[in-house]
Amino acid sequence: MTLHTINKTPTESSALNNCLASLSDGDALLLIENGVYAAMPGYAELFTRLPASIQCYLLGEDSSARGLNDLNPDFRSIDYDGFVELSCRYNKVVSWF
Amino acid sequence: MIFSIVVTGAPYSSQAADSALRYCKSLLKLEHQIHRIFFYADGVHNASELAVPPQDETNIPSEWAQLAEQHKLDIVVCIAAAVRRGVLDENEAGRYEKSSHNLTLPFVLSGLGQLVEAGIVSDRVVTFGA
Amino acid sequence: MSDTKKSFLIINRKAPYGCSAARDALDVALTISVFEQPLSLLFMDDAVLQLLPAQNPAGIGQKNLSANLAMLEMYDIDQLHVCSEALQQRGLRAEDIELNINLLDRSGIATLIKQHDQVLSF
Protein backbone atom coordinates (compact mmCIF):
# COMPACT_ATOMS: atom_id res chain seq x y z
CA MET A 1 0.00 0.00 0.00
CA THR A 2 1.29 3.37 -1.07
CA LEU A 3 0.86 6.94 0.12
CA HIS A 4 0.68 9.28 -2.88
CA THR A 5 1.38 12.98 -2.36
CA ILE A 6 0.22 15.54 -4.93
CA ASN A 7 1.43 19.14 -4.77
CA LYS A 8 -0.10 20.72 -7.89
CA THR A 9 -3.61 21.99 -8.67
CA PRO A 10 -5.59 19.72 -11.01
CA THR A 11 -4.84 22.02 -13.93
CA GLU A 12 -1.30 23.27 -13.36
CA SER A 13 0.22 19.89 -14.10
CA SER A 14 -0.76 16.32 -14.87
CA ALA A 15 0.39 15.21 -11.41
CA LEU A 16 -3.09 14.52 -10.04
CA ASN A 17 -4.29 12.84 -13.23
CA ASN A 18 -1.22 10.63 -13.40
CA CYS A 19 -1.59 9.75 -9.75
CA LEU A 20 -5.28 8.87 -10.05
CA ALA A 21 -4.40 6.61 -12.99
CA SER A 22 -1.78 4.76 -10.95
CA LEU A 23 -3.60 3.85 -7.74
CA SER A 24 -3.98 0.40 -6.26
CA ASP A 25 -6.71 -0.66 -3.86
CA GLY A 26 -5.83 0.37 -0.32
CA ASP A 27 -3.57 3.28 -1.36
CA ALA A 28 -3.97 6.76 0.10
CA LEU A 29 -3.92 10.25 -1.42
CA LEU A 30 -2.47 13.24 0.38
CA LEU A 31 -2.90 16.71 -1.12
CA ILE A 32 -0.12 19.13 -0.12
CA GLU A 33 0.94 22.64 -1.19
CA ASN A 34 -1.08 23.67 -4.30
CA GLY A 35 -2.46 20.15 -4.39
CA VAL A 36 -5.00 21.09 -1.70
CA TYR A 37 -7.02 23.09 -4.24
CA ALA A 38 -8.17 19.75 -5.67
CA ALA A 39 -10.31 19.33 -2.54
CA MET A 40 -12.48 22.32 -3.51
CA PRO A 41 -16.06 21.13 -4.08
CA GLY A 42 -15.86 22.15 -7.74
CA TYR A 43 -13.34 19.37 -8.36
CA ALA A 44 -15.34 16.67 -6.54
CA GLU A 45 -16.12 15.01 -9.87
CA LEU A 46 -12.44 14.00 -10.19
CA PHE A 47 -12.72 11.71 -7.19
CA THR A 48 -16.18 10.18 -7.57
CA ARG A 49 -14.88 7.05 -9.26
CA LEU A 50 -12.21 6.30 -6.66
CA PRO A 51 -12.60 2.92 -5.00
CA ALA A 52 -13.86 3.17 -1.41
CA SER A 53 -10.59 1.59 -0.24
CA ILE A 54 -8.65 4.76 -1.16
CA GLN A 55 -8.29 7.11 1.82
CA CYS A 56 -8.05 10.83 0.98
CA TYR A 57 -6.20 13.39 3.09
CA LEU A 58 -5.05 16.97 2.77
CA LEU A 59 -2.49 18.98 4.68
CA GLY A 60 -4.41 21.45 6.87
CA GLU A 61 -1.55 23.97 7.03
CA ASP A 62 -1.69 24.26 3.23
CA SER A 63 -5.48 24.55 2.94
CA SER A 64 -5.68 27.15 5.72
CA ALA A 65 -2.88 29.14 4.12
CA ARG A 66 -4.92 29.30 0.92
CA GLY A 67 -8.18 30.33 2.58
CA LEU A 68 -9.93 27.09 1.75
CA ASN A 69 -12.93 26.17 3.87
CA ASP A 70 -15.91 23.93 3.14
CA LEU A 71 -13.77 21.41 1.36
CA ASN A 72 -14.74 18.09 -0.17
CA PRO A 73 -15.81 16.05 2.90
CA ASP A 74 -14.11 12.95 1.50
CA PHE A 75 -10.77 14.55 2.41
CA ARG A 76 -9.60 14.44 6.00
CA SER A 77 -7.44 17.31 7.15
CA ILE A 78 -4.16 16.34 8.83
CA ASP A 79 -1.06 18.20 10.02
CA TYR A 80 2.64 17.46 9.45
CA ASP A 81 2.68 14.93 12.28
CA GLY A 82 -0.22 13.21 10.54
CA PHE A 83 1.76 13.26 7.27
CA VAL A 84 4.64 11.51 9.05
CA GLU A 85 2.28 9.02 10.62
CA LEU A 86 0.76 8.17 7.20
CA SER A 87 4.27 7.79 5.75
CA CYS A 88 4.89 5.07 8.34
CA ARG A 89 1.51 3.40 8.00
CA TYR A 90 1.87 2.95 4.22
CA ASN A 91 4.73 0.93 2.70
CA LYS A 92 6.14 3.74 0.62
CA VAL A 93 5.58 7.31 -0.41
CA VAL A 94 5.27 8.31 -4.08
CA SER A 95 5.44 12.03 -4.87
CA TRP A 96 3.58 13.48 -7.83
CA PHE A 97 4.77 16.99 -8.72
CA MET B 1 11.67 4.18 11.42
CA ILE B 2 14.56 5.29 9.18
CA PHE B 3 13.73 8.06 6.71
CA SER B 4 15.63 9.79 3.94
CA ILE B 5 14.38 12.95 2.30
CA VAL B 6 14.97 14.22 -1.23
CA VAL B 7 14.50 17.91 -2.05
CA THR B 8 14.48 18.99 -5.71
CA GLY B 9 13.00 22.48 -5.38
CA ALA B 10 14.94 25.70 -4.86
CA PRO B 11 13.91 27.70 -1.80
CA TYR B 12 11.58 30.65 -2.49
CA SER B 13 10.91 29.45 -6.08
CA SER B 14 8.65 26.66 -4.88
CA GLN B 15 7.18 25.51 -1.59
CA ALA B 16 9.07 22.20 -1.71
CA ALA B 17 11.98 23.20 0.52
CA ASP B 18 9.77 24.71 3.19
CA SER B 19 7.47 21.65 3.19
CA ALA B 20 10.49 19.36 3.48
CA LEU B 21 11.84 21.37 6.40
CA ARG B 22 8.52 21.15 8.27
CA TYR B 23 8.24 17.45 7.51
CA CYS B 24 11.76 16.85 8.85
CA LYS B 25 10.97 18.75 12.05
CA SER B 26 7.92 16.51 12.55
CA LEU B 27 10.01 13.40 11.90
CA LEU B 28 12.49 14.43 14.59
CA LYS B 29 9.74 15.40 17.02
CA LEU B 30 8.15 11.98 16.58
CA GLU B 31 11.58 10.42 17.19
CA HIS B 32 12.15 8.92 13.79
CA GLN B 33 15.66 8.67 12.42
CA ILE B 34 16.69 10.78 9.44
CA HIS B 35 19.47 8.91 7.65
CA ARG B 36 20.09 11.64 5.11
CA ILE B 37 18.57 14.66 3.41
CA PHE B 38 19.62 14.79 -0.22
CA PHE B 39 19.39 17.94 -2.34
CA TYR B 40 19.18 17.35 -6.07
CA ALA B 41 18.47 19.41 -9.21
CA ASP B 42 17.37 22.97 -8.24
CA GLY B 43 17.26 21.77 -4.64
CA VAL B 44 21.00 22.50 -4.46
CA HIS B 45 20.17 26.19 -3.91
CA ASN B 46 18.99 25.23 -0.41
CA ALA B 47 22.68 25.11 0.49
CA SER B 48 23.64 28.62 -0.60
CA GLU B 49 25.13 30.64 2.21
CA LEU B 50 24.60 33.77 0.14
CA ALA B 51 20.80 33.66 0.29
CA VAL B 52 19.54 36.83 2.00
CA PRO B 53 15.76 36.69 2.40
CA PRO B 54 14.00 39.67 4.07
CA GLN B 55 14.17 39.49 7.88
CA ASP B 56 10.49 38.62 8.28
CA GLU B 57 10.88 35.55 6.06
CA THR B 58 12.37 32.16 6.89
CA ASN B 59 16.04 31.82 6.01
CA ILE B 60 15.73 28.33 4.60
CA PRO B 61 19.44 27.57 4.08
CA SER B 62 20.25 28.57 7.64
CA GLU B 63 17.22 26.65 8.97
CA TRP B 64 18.59 23.50 7.33
CA ALA B 65 22.03 24.19 8.76
CA GLN B 66 20.66 24.73 12.28
CA LEU B 67 18.49 21.63 12.15
CA ALA B 68 21.43 19.56 10.90
CA GLU B 69 23.76 20.82 13.60
CA GLN B 70 21.23 20.36 16.34
CA HIS B 71 20.37 16.78 15.36
CA LYS B 72 23.66 15.74 13.71
CA LEU B 73 21.94 15.23 10.35
CA ASP B 74 23.71 14.27 7.15
CA ILE B 75 22.67 16.97 4.67
CA VAL B 76 24.14 16.18 1.26
CA VAL B 77 24.05 18.20 -1.94
CA CYS B 78 24.50 16.47 -5.31
CA ILE B 79 27.92 17.68 -6.41
CA ALA B 80 27.24 17.54 -10.16
CA ALA B 81 23.95 19.42 -9.82
CA ALA B 82 25.56 21.93 -7.44
CA VAL B 83 28.71 22.93 -9.31
CA ARG B 84 26.66 23.41 -12.50
CA ARG B 85 24.43 25.85 -10.65
CA GLY B 86 27.22 27.68 -8.85
CA VAL B 87 26.96 26.13 -5.41
CA LEU B 88 30.58 25.36 -4.45
CA ASP B 89 32.46 24.38 -1.35
CA GLU B 90 36.00 25.56 -0.73
CA ASN B 91 37.46 22.49 -2.37
CA GLU B 92 35.49 22.81 -5.60
CA ALA B 93 36.07 26.56 -5.72
CA GLY B 94 39.79 25.81 -5.61
CA ARG B 95 39.56 23.09 -8.23
CA TYR B 96 37.72 25.36 -10.68
CA GLU B 97 39.78 28.43 -9.72
CA LYS B 98 36.81 30.41 -8.48
CA SER B 99 37.33 33.42 -6.25
CA SER B 100 34.71 32.38 -3.69
CA HIS B 101 32.63 29.54 -2.36
CA ASN B 102 29.12 29.54 -0.94
CA LEU B 103 28.19 26.15 0.50
CA THR B 104 26.63 26.58 3.92
CA LEU B 105 28.15 24.29 6.54
CA PRO B 106 27.35 21.56 7.53
CA PHE B 107 26.02 20.80 4.03
CA VAL B 108 28.44 18.60 2.10
CA LEU B 109 28.84 18.04 -1.63
CA SER B 110 28.81 14.42 -2.70
CA GLY B 111 27.74 12.10 -5.51
CA LEU B 112 24.45 10.49 -6.43
CA GLY B 113 25.66 7.33 -4.71
CA GLN B 114 24.61 9.04 -1.48
CA LEU B 115 21.02 9.16 -2.76
CA VAL B 116 21.04 5.51 -3.77
CA GLU B 117 22.66 4.40 -0.52
CA ALA B 118 19.99 6.36 1.34
CA GLY B 119 17.32 4.48 -0.61
CA ILE B 120 18.92 1.15 0.26
CA VAL B 121 19.22 1.69 4.01
CA SER B 122 16.06 3.74 4.64
CA ASP B 123 12.59 2.37 5.30
CA ARG B 124 11.10 5.37 3.53
CA VAL B 125 12.35 7.88 0.98
CA VAL B 126 10.14 10.93 0.70
CA THR B 127 10.65 13.36 -2.17
CA PHE B 128 9.67 17.03 -2.07
CA GLY B 129 9.63 18.12 -5.69
CA ALA B 130 9.09 21.46 -7.35
CA MET C 1 28.44 -0.81 -0.38
CA SER C 2 25.46 -2.20 1.45
CA ASP C 3 24.55 -5.88 1.43
CA THR C 4 20.84 -5.33 1.55
CA LYS C 5 18.90 -4.85 -1.64
CA LYS C 6 16.01 -2.56 -2.37
CA SER C 7 14.14 -2.48 -5.65
CA PHE C 8 13.91 0.98 -7.18
CA LEU C 9 11.35 2.39 -9.58
CA ILE C 10 12.08 5.64 -11.35
CA ILE C 11 8.94 7.37 -12.62
CA ASN C 12 9.62 9.73 -15.52
CA ARG C 13 6.87 12.20 -16.40
CA LYS C 14 8.62 15.07 -18.17
CA ALA C 15 9.60 15.73 -21.78
CA PRO C 16 13.36 15.94 -22.43
CA TYR C 17 15.52 19.07 -22.93
CA GLY C 18 13.03 21.71 -21.69
CA CYS C 19 13.91 20.93 -18.09
CA SER C 20 16.53 18.82 -16.36
CA ALA C 21 14.20 16.05 -15.13
CA ALA C 22 14.96 13.50 -17.86
CA ARG C 23 18.71 13.99 -17.45
CA ASP C 24 18.48 13.88 -13.64
CA ALA C 25 16.51 10.64 -13.77
CA LEU C 26 19.00 9.04 -16.14
CA ASP C 27 21.93 9.90 -13.88
CA VAL C 28 20.12 8.37 -10.90
CA ALA C 29 19.31 5.25 -12.94
CA LEU C 30 22.99 4.78 -13.85
CA THR C 31 24.02 5.22 -10.22
CA ILE C 32 21.45 2.65 -9.03
CA SER C 33 22.91 0.20 -11.54
CA VAL C 34 26.41 0.82 -10.12
CA PHE C 35 25.00 -0.24 -6.73
CA GLU C 36 23.57 -3.34 -8.45
CA GLN C 37 20.07 -2.80 -7.12
CA PRO C 38 17.00 -4.05 -8.98
CA LEU C 39 15.71 -1.14 -11.08
CA SER C 40 12.77 -0.40 -13.35
CA LEU C 41 12.09 2.77 -15.32
CA LEU C 42 8.57 3.92 -16.05
CA PHE C 43 7.84 6.50 -18.75
CA MET C 44 4.44 8.07 -18.41
CA ASP C 45 2.80 11.30 -19.51
CA ASP C 46 5.19 13.61 -21.43
CA ALA C 47 8.16 11.37 -20.61
CA VAL C 48 7.20 9.11 -23.52
CA LEU C 49 8.54 11.98 -25.66
CA GLN C 50 12.00 11.09 -24.32
CA LEU C 51 11.73 7.91 -26.36
CA LEU C 52 11.33 9.56 -29.78
CA PRO C 53 14.04 8.56 -32.27
CA ALA C 54 16.16 11.00 -34.30
CA GLN C 55 16.88 13.43 -31.47
CA ASN C 56 19.67 15.82 -32.38
CA PRO C 57 20.18 18.37 -29.60
CA ALA C 58 23.55 19.71 -30.87
CA GLY C 59 21.84 22.94 -31.88
CA ILE C 60 20.63 23.61 -28.32
CA GLY C 61 23.89 22.72 -26.61
CA GLN C 62 22.66 19.61 -24.85
CA LYS C 63 23.72 15.98 -24.80
CA ASN C 64 21.69 13.45 -26.75
CA LEU C 65 19.32 11.79 -24.33
CA SER C 66 18.12 9.09 -26.72
CA ALA C 67 21.69 7.92 -27.30
CA ASN C 68 22.03 7.52 -23.54
CA LEU C 69 18.72 5.70 -23.20
CA ALA C 70 19.85 3.34 -25.96
CA MET C 71 22.95 2.54 -23.88
CA LEU C 72 21.00 1.56 -20.76
CA GLU C 73 20.96 -2.09 -21.76
CA MET C 74 24.75 -2.13 -21.53
CA TYR C 75 24.34 -1.26 -17.85
CA ASP C 76 21.85 -4.11 -17.42
CA ILE C 77 19.01 -1.62 -17.15
CA ASP C 78 16.49 -3.44 -19.30
CA GLN C 79 13.22 -2.88 -17.45
CA LEU C 80 11.80 0.01 -19.48
CA HIS C 81 8.06 0.31 -18.97
CA VAL C 82 5.96 2.68 -21.04
CA CYS C 83 2.42 3.91 -20.43
CA SER C 84 0.43 2.87 -23.51
CA GLU C 85 -2.20 5.56 -22.88
CA ALA C 86 0.49 8.27 -22.93
CA LEU C 87 1.74 7.02 -26.31
CA GLN C 88 -1.78 6.97 -27.73
CA GLN C 89 -2.61 10.47 -26.49
CA ARG C 90 0.43 11.77 -28.41
CA GLY C 91 -0.29 9.84 -31.60
CA LEU C 92 2.70 7.56 -31.08
CA ARG C 93 2.91 3.82 -31.66
CA ALA C 94 5.13 1.35 -29.86
CA GLU C 95 6.77 0.62 -33.24
CA ASP C 96 7.99 4.22 -33.39
CA ILE C 97 10.24 3.55 -30.43
CA GLU C 98 13.58 1.96 -31.13
CA LEU C 99 14.10 0.66 -27.60
CA ASN C 100 13.13 -2.62 -26.05
CA ILE C 101 10.07 -1.53 -24.07
CA ASN C 102 7.23 -3.09 -22.17
CA LEU C 103 3.80 -1.45 -22.62
CA LEU C 104 1.63 -0.99 -19.55
CA ASP C 105 -1.97 0.03 -19.06
CA ARG C 106 -3.26 1.71 -15.90
CA SER C 107 -3.49 -1.44 -13.83
CA GLY C 108 -0.02 -2.46 -15.02
CA ILE C 109 1.37 0.84 -13.73
CA ALA C 110 -0.37 0.40 -10.38
CA THR C 111 1.10 -3.09 -10.08
CA LEU C 112 4.58 -1.84 -11.01
CA ILE C 113 4.48 0.76 -8.22
CA LYS C 114 3.27 -1.87 -5.78
CA GLN C 115 6.14 -4.21 -6.68
CA HIS C 116 8.99 -1.80 -5.85
CA ASP C 117 10.44 -0.75 -2.50
CA GLN C 118 11.48 2.81 -3.32
CA VAL C 119 9.92 5.06 -5.94
CA LEU C 120 11.77 8.15 -7.17
CA SER C 121 9.87 10.67 -9.31
CA PHE C 122 11.18 12.96 -12.03
Side-chain angles (χ1 to χ4, degrees):
Chain A
M1 295 193 304
T2 302
L3 174 66
H4 300 264
T5 69
I6 301 112
N7 76 345
K8 297 287 188 291
T9 79
T11 39
E12 78 176 306
S13 94
S14 53
L16 178 65
N17 268 333
N18 287 173
C19 171
L20 292 175
S22 310
L23 298 174
S24 293
D25 276 342
D27 284 358
L29 291 183
L30 169 60
L31 307 177
I32 66 169
E33 304 174 0
N34 275 357
V36 296
Y37 287 111
M40 289 167 71
Y43 288 118
E45 181 86 4
L46 288 171
F47 304 98
T48 48
R49 279 179 302 170
L50 278 188
S53 66
I54 309 281
Q55 299 291 315
C56 298
Y57 302 90
L58 60 84
L59 198 57
E61 282 91 334
D62 281 324
S63 58
S64 302
R66 288 162 175 80
L68 302 181
N69 301 304
D70 299 321
L71 292 171
N72 182 336
D74 291 339
F75 284 83
R76 223 176 90 198
S77 178
I78 60 166
D79 59 11
Y80 274 92
D81 290 355
F83 183 0
V84 167
E85 199 248 302
L86 286 178
S87 314
C88 298
R89 195 189 312 163
Y90 290 85
N91 300 325
K92 58 186 156 263
V93 182
V94 176
S95 306
W96 302 89
F97 51 86
Chain B
M1 204 167 253
I2 305 174
F3 281 78
S4 283
I5 305 300
V6 183
V7 182
T8 65
Y12 312 112
S13 306
S14 76
Q15 210 189 325
D18 190 74
S19 300
L21 197 49
R22 289 173 197 279
Y23 184 82
C24 287
K25 287 177 181 171
S26 258
L27 282 176
L28 295 165
K29 189 176 90 185
L30 298 172
E31 300 187 333
H32 292 290
Q33 186 187 333
I34 300 179
H35 176 71
R36 181 168 298 131
I37 306 171
F38 192 84
F39 297 85
Y40 192 35
D42 282 348
V44 301
H45 294 296
N46 280 277
S48 172
E49 194 169 29
L50 298 179
V52 188
Q55 281 193 354
D56 58 352
E57 288 180 24
T58 318
N59 188 324
I60 291 177
S62 76
E63 287 261 331
W64 283 123
Q66 280 170 30
L67 196 72
E69 274 175 4
Q70 199 181 337
H71 297 274
K72 303 272 171 281
L73 301 179
D74 191 23
I75 51 176
V76 177
V77 182
C78 173
I79 187 167
V83 298
R84 261 194 196 112
R85 291 169 175 82
V87 176
L88 307 179
D89 62 6
E90 196 170 359
N91 215 1
E92 295 306 303
R95 183 199 317 274
Y96 297 107
E97 298 176 6
K98 297 291 180 185
S99 58
S100 58
H101 53 89
N102 60 341
L103 188 83
T104 310
L105 296 176
F107 281 97
V108 290
L109 297 178
S110 190
L112 276 174
Q114 297 288 308
L115 169 61
V116 178
E117 192 267 349
I120 295 170
V121 306
S122 301
D123 300 309
R124 300 285 184 275
V125 174
V126 183
T127 302
F128 290 86
Chain C
M1 232 168 260
S2 177
D3 287 337
T4 38
K5 291 229 183 238
K6 287 271 169 70
S7 58
F8 287 79
L9 171 64
I10 293 180
I11 301 184
N12 290 282
R13 291 179 43 244
K14 303 282 160 60
Y17 305 116
C19 70
S20 70
R23 190 85 230 164
D24 296 338
L26 182 71
D27 289 343
V28 172
L30 294 172
T31 310
I32 292 170
S33 86
V34 171
F35 278 71
E36 297 179 338
Q37 302 294 307
L39 167 66
S40 301
L41 269 62
L42 168 64
F43 296 86
M44 65 190 298
D45 208 280
D46 276 346
V48 298
L49 302 170
Q50 295 179 26
L51 307 171
L52 289 177
Q55 296 173 27
N56 179 16
I60 57 169
Q62 293 198 44
K63 288 176 191 150
N64 194 325
L65 181 81
S66 58
N68 285 303
L69 289 175
M71 283 186 351
L72 286 178
E73 259 187 309
M74 279 171 36
Y75 295 89
D76 291 323
I77 302 172
D78 52 7
Q79 294 297 307
L80 305 185
H81 303 274
V82 176
C83 172
S84 52
E85 206 174 290
L87 285 178
Q88 251 169 38
Q89 284 167 346
R90 289 160 185 81
L92 300 171
R93 296 167 309 165
E95 304 88 82
D96 299 330
I97 292 163
E98 294 168 353
L99 296 165
N100 206 349
I101 58 164
N102 175 41
L103 290 180
L104 290 179
D105 61 8
R106 286 177 169 217
S107 71
I109 290 172
T111 307
L112 192 72
I113 292 173
K114 209 190 254 182
Q115 285 167 343
H116 290 79
D117 298 318
Q118 306 287 20
V119 180
L120 299 171
S121 310
F122 294 94

